[in-house]
Amino acid sequence: MDVLKKERQATSLMGRWADPQEIAAPILWLASSEASFITGTTLMVDGGLHIM
């Protein structure tokens, strides 16, 4: 696991792995009534990996 953590520091804008809560919170929000008007979008929850 230490090897993976060290690798992530160089390959992620945030320089770390996400906590499970950081992944779950946007999913739960999208599934809630608060996001009832959201349609056809992509929410990137990757700590900036897609722009590296």
Side-chain angles (χ1 to χ4, degrees), residues 5-33:
K5 285 183 179 181
K6 185 169 260 183
E7 180 181 300
R8 181 56 64 197
Q9 289 176 346
T11 62
S12 171
L13 190 62
M14 301 294 286
R16 62 179 178 82
W17 288 96
D19 291 324
Q21 295 85 356
E22 293 175 305
I23 303 301
I27 294 168
L28 292 173
W29 178 75
L30 282 171
S32 77
S33 61

